[in-house]
């Protein structure tokens, strides 16, 4: 299966927050906590890819963003992913959807931090292929 037809249907910003008290020193190093997750809606042949990013300093989050993208999958292809008990989606395709979601999150982060001191915090490129190492399987 080389080509998977899909369409981005919706973008959701679930969380966005500055926590000024947790951001002590503008010159101090910070850590980035990244979480990627997936969900499905079998009745609509749809996949949801979510990215949550926390910028942390001294083990405290000072900037949090969580964004999801909802994708409709070609129903004919969806059937290829499905058996009686599970929906199994190839890792390469899931990584592709995650890359789109990370890029979308990067844009939302820029837009929401524009004209603030947090605008210097740009979501770096992430090797999503390392984060999605196997096919993703869901129980029906």
């Amino acid at each position: 299966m080389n080509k998977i037809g899909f369409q981005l249907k919706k973008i959701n910003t679930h969380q966005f927050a500055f926590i000024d008290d947790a951001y002590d020193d503008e010159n101090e190093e910070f850590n980035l906590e990244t979480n990627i997750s997936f969900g499905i809606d079998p009745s609509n042949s749809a996949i949801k890819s979510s990215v949550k990013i926390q910028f942390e300093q001294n083990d405290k989050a000072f900037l949090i963003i969580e964004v999801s993208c909802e994708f409709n999958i070609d129903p004919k292809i969806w059937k290829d992913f499905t058996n009686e008990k599970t929906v199994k989606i190839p890792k390469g395709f899931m990584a592709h959807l995650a890359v789109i979601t990370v890029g979308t999150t990067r844009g939302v982060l820029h837009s929401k931090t524009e004209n603030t001191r947090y605008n210097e915090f740009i979501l770096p490129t992430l090797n999503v292929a390392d984060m999605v190492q196997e096919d993703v399987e869901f129980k029906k």
Side-chain angles (χ1 to χ4, degrees), residues 3-138:
K3 236 181 180 174
I4 300 173
F6 71 97
Q7 179 180 37
L8 175 60
K9 290 301 284 186
K10 190 172 183 186
I11 298 168
N12 306 290
T13 302
H14 300 283
Q15 272 191 85
F16 182 78
F18 303 126
I19 301 138
D20 285 324
D21 294 344
Y23 187 55
D24 294 330
D25 179 359
E26 292 181 20
N27 297 318
E28 192 172 325
E29 289 186 20
F30 65 91
N31 295 318
L32 193 66
E33 182 74 30
T34 306
N35 184 320
I36 295 176
S37 60
F38 301 101
I40 61 169
D41 178 357
S43 62
N44 290 311
S45 305
I47 299 172
K48 182 192 229 177
S49 172
S50 298
V51 174
K52 181 177 180 184
I53 306 289
Q54 288 190 169
F55 290 83
E56 299 176 348
Q57 200 174 57
N58 302 317
D59 296 322
K60 295 179 187 172
F62 65 87
L63 179 56
I64 302 168
I65 185 166
E66 183 177 4
V67 171
S68 69
C69 292
E70 297 177 23
F71 301 92
N72 283 352
I73 310 302
D74 180 334
K76 293 175 189 171
I77 299 296
W78 187 263
K79 287 180 185 177
D80 293 339
F81 295 158
T82 305
N83 65 36
E84 292 176 13
K85 296 181 181 180
T86 64
V87 176
K88 187 174 183 179
I89 304 167
K91 66 181 178 180
F93 181 64
M94 293 302 275
H96 181 64
L97 297 183
V99 166
I100 292 169
T101 307
V102 168
T104 301
T105 303
R106 186 177 291 111
V108 172
L109 177 65
H110 170 74
S111 178
K112 292 217 175 252
T113 61
E114 203 162 25
N115 299 317
T116 73
R117 70 181 185 158
Y118 297 104
N119 193 244
E120 69 182 89
F121 296 101
I122 297 172
L123 184 57
T125 57
L126 303 172
N127 188 345
V128 175
D130 282 349
M131 300 171 92
V132 183
Q133 295 186 350
E134 54 190 44
D135 293 348
V136 180
E137 192 168 340
F138 301 92

